[in-house]
Amino acid sequence: MSIRVLIAGTGFAGQGHTQAFRGVGAEVVGMVGRTDHVTQSVAEKMSIPYSGTNWTQALADLKPDVVSIATPGGAHFAAIKEAIAAGCHVFCDKPLTTCGGTANELFALAQANGVKTAYAASFQYTPSVQHAKRLIAHGAIGEVAEIECMSHFNLERGIPFGWSHRSEAGGGRLNNNFTHTLAIAEALTGGEVLRVSGDIRDDLERAPIVDGVHDFTKRRSFIPSDLNDPSLEWGESNVEWSYTVMAQLRSPTARKPISVLFKHGGLVPRFHDDHIVIYGTKGAIFLKGHYGSGALSLHDGSSWAEQQTPADLVAAAPADMGETEFCWHVLAGLFLQDIRGENPGPYPTFKEGSLYQNIIDVIRRSETWVDVTTLS
C-alpha cells in the first residue's frame, strides 16, 4: 500500500527526512514550515506538491498516514499532539520534546490512540556500530563490562544565536548528542538504563544574534568576522555545552550491570580521536569517531587489529548518501515495515524518546553532588 507522508520542517532535517521516506517507497505529499516563501521554495526544489505554514490546515487537507517531525525540539509537542489526534503515525527527530513531562504525555497519547512512533536517535544504524553489535552478540569480547563514549567538538563560540542555545527550543548538547550515544550503547548491548548520574556546564553563556540563518548545517558561514564589534547584539545561552554522565545498563550480554561513561565537550578541542570503546572480559572493540562510525578495531586479548566491515553492511550504505541521511533512511524503512505489519524487529520509538527526555532532566538537575568539605 502507498503510505502518504507530511513533513514538518524545511531545513536540513526536513529535506533529509523527505529523501529518507522516498527512498523506502513512501509518497511525500506535503511540507509545512514557518515562512511561506522558504517553504514554497524548498517544496518546489524537492517536487513536493503541497506547501504551507498552517500545520492544522495541512493535516486536514492532506490526511497523511505519517507525519515526519524535522523541526527544532521546541516546536514538537503541539505539532505531534495534533498529528496523533488526527490518527497519524509519527516519525520524530530528537529531542522528542523539551522536558520529560511533555515527552511522557506524547508517549501516552500515542499508545492510547494506537499510532506507531519512531524516534530518530538513529546513529546506531551506521555500518561500524552494527558490525560491533554483531561481534558482541557472537561473544568476540566476552561479557561486556564497560563502555566509554568520548567526544570533543571544538564548536566555534561565534556560531549565531538560535534554537541550539535555548532549553525551551530543544537546544543543548544532551538533547542533540547524548541522545545518539545513549541509543548506541543500548543498541550495542541490547541493554536498558538502570541508573544515571551526571553533571553539565554552560561554558558558552552567549552568542551573537545574526539574521539570515535558515539551514542549521550552514550556520558557520554566518559567524561575524569581528566578535568584538560593539554594534553586535547577543543572545543568552541557557543550556549545557559540555556534560559528563555515568550510567549503568542491564544487558543480556553481561551478568553484572555495565558501566558507561559519556563525556562530551562541545567547545573544547580533541587531542586523541573521539571514540566509543566497548570493554569485555576477553577483549575490547574500539570505534573511531564521536558516534563510532569510523574504523573498527578489535582487541583479542593480546593486541589490537583493525577489522574489515562485513560486505553486506557496506553494501547497505550507499556511497552517495551522507551518514546522517543514511541512518534516517534505515529507520524510516523499519518504521514503514512496522506500519505495514511486516514485523521488522525493535527500533527506537517514543518509549525511548520519553525515557531519554526524563534522563536528561535528571542530568540537568545535577543533584548527585556530595559536599566533602565537611567530612573531616
Side-chain angles (χ1 to χ4, degrees):
M1 70 177 179
S2 175
I3 294 179
R4 294 159 48 85
V5 181
L6 171 63
I7 307 290
T10 62
F12 173 70
Q15 295 176 50
H17 287 199
T18 297
Q19 294 169 333
F21 276 104
R22 283 177 170 169
V24 295
E27 178 187 3
V28 177
V29 296
M31 174 176 279
V32 174
R34 290 181 301 171
T35 308
D36 185 64
H37 75 275
V38 171
T39 308
Q40 184 176 350
S41 174
V42 174
E44 288 178 357
K45 180 183 75 172
M46 303 200 73
S47 300
I48 299 172
Y50 178 105
S51 66
T53 57
N54 188 317
W55 181 247
T56 304
Q57 189 66 50
L59 288 170
D61 289 346
L62 299 174
K63 297 179 174 54
D65 304 299
V66 171
V67 299
S68 185
I69 307 297
T71 58
H76 288 181
F77 178 73
I80 294 173
K81 194 170 181 179
E82 276 196 74
I84 291 173
C88 302
H89 306 295
V90 185
F91 182 102
C92 182
D93 225 303
K94 52 32 164 187
L96 181 53
T97 63
T98 59
C99 68
T102 52
N104 292 344
E105 184 176 343
L106 292 182
F107 177 42
L109 282 171
Q111 287 186 305
N113 285 269
V115 301
K116 295 186 183 296
T117 61
Y119 170 68
S122 49
F123 276 105
Q124 61 185 280
Y125 294 115
T126 60
S128 52
V129 171
Q130 291 297 305
H131 185 194
K133 182 178 177 179
R134 286 185 187 178
L135 290 171
I136 292 167
H138 293 156
I141 61 171
E143 291 188 48
V144 177
E146 182 180 346
I147 301 173
E148 65 180 34
C149 304
M150 306 292 288
S151 59
H152 304 86
F153 275 19
N154 200 26
L155 294 169
E156 298 90 338
R157 292 175 177 268
I159 287 175
F161 182 76
W163 66 264
S164 63
H165 298 83
R166 300 295 298 179
S167 173
E168 67 273 16
R173 302 310 301 154
L174 287 168
N175 277 335
N176 298 287
N177 177 269
F178 173 70
T179 45
H180 283 301
T181 50
L182 177 56
I184 288 169
E186 288 191 319
L188 286 169
T189 62
E192 61 178 343
V193 180
L194 293 175
R195 301 175 189 85
V196 67
S197 177
D199 190 45
I200 60 172
R201 187 176 69 256
D202 180 1
D203 40 12
L204 179 67
E205 298 182 349
R206 68 175 192 167
I209 298 173
V210 179
D211 291 331
V213 182
H214 169 64
D215 186 335
F216 180 76
T217 64
K218 295 180 172 61
R219 66 199 189 281
R220 287 177 173 84
S221 63
F222 291 84
I223 295 174
S225 57
D226 181 8
L227 293 175
N228 295 313
D229 184 344
S231 68
L232 280 178
E233 294 185 59
W234 296 84
E236 292 185 5
S237 167
N238 68 355
V239 293
E240 72 287 335
W241 292 87
S242 296
Y243 62 77
T244 302
V245 178
M246 296 182 295
Q248 287 184 330
L249 304 184
R250 176 170 51 208
S251 165
T253 66
R255 290 170 295 169
K256 297 178 181 180
I258 299 168
S259 302
V260 190
L261 171 66
F262 303 90
K263 182 72 183 76
H264 176 70
L267 302 174
V268 297
R270 65 182 60 86
F271 180 69
H272 294 296
D273 291 330
D274 289 352
H275 60 264
I276 295 174
V277 188
I278 309 98
Y279 300 97
T281 55
K282 297 180 180 178
I285 296 169
F286 179 95
L287 293 169
K288 185 177 179 179
H290 49 272
Y291 295 137
S293 57
L296 182 154
S297 295
L298 175 67
H299 195 284
D300 61 4
S302 59
S303 62
W304 288 100
E306 187 170 324
Q307 307 293 302
Q308 292 293 317
T309 306
D312 64 311
L313 294 177
V314 173
D320 61 347
M321 191 179 292
E323 183 179 284
T324 304
E325 294 90 332
F326 169 71
C327 291
W328 283 330
H329 177 95
V330 174
L331 182 58
L334 294 171
F335 188 43
L336 293 198
Q337 287 177 46
D338 195 15
I339 291 170
R340 293 179 177 128
E342 297 170 5
N343 190 24
Y347 59 87
T349 70
F350 281 14
K351 178 181 179 181
E352 285 74 25
S354 61
L355 173 62
Y356 289 10
Q357 224 53 53
N358 281 279
I359 288 173
I360 288 169
D361 286 351
V362 169
I363 297 165
R364 283 178 168 171
R365 288 197 294 269
S366 295
E367 294 176 343
T368 54
W369 288 104
V370 175
D371 182 356
V372 300
T373 62
T374 63
L375 298 182
S376 60

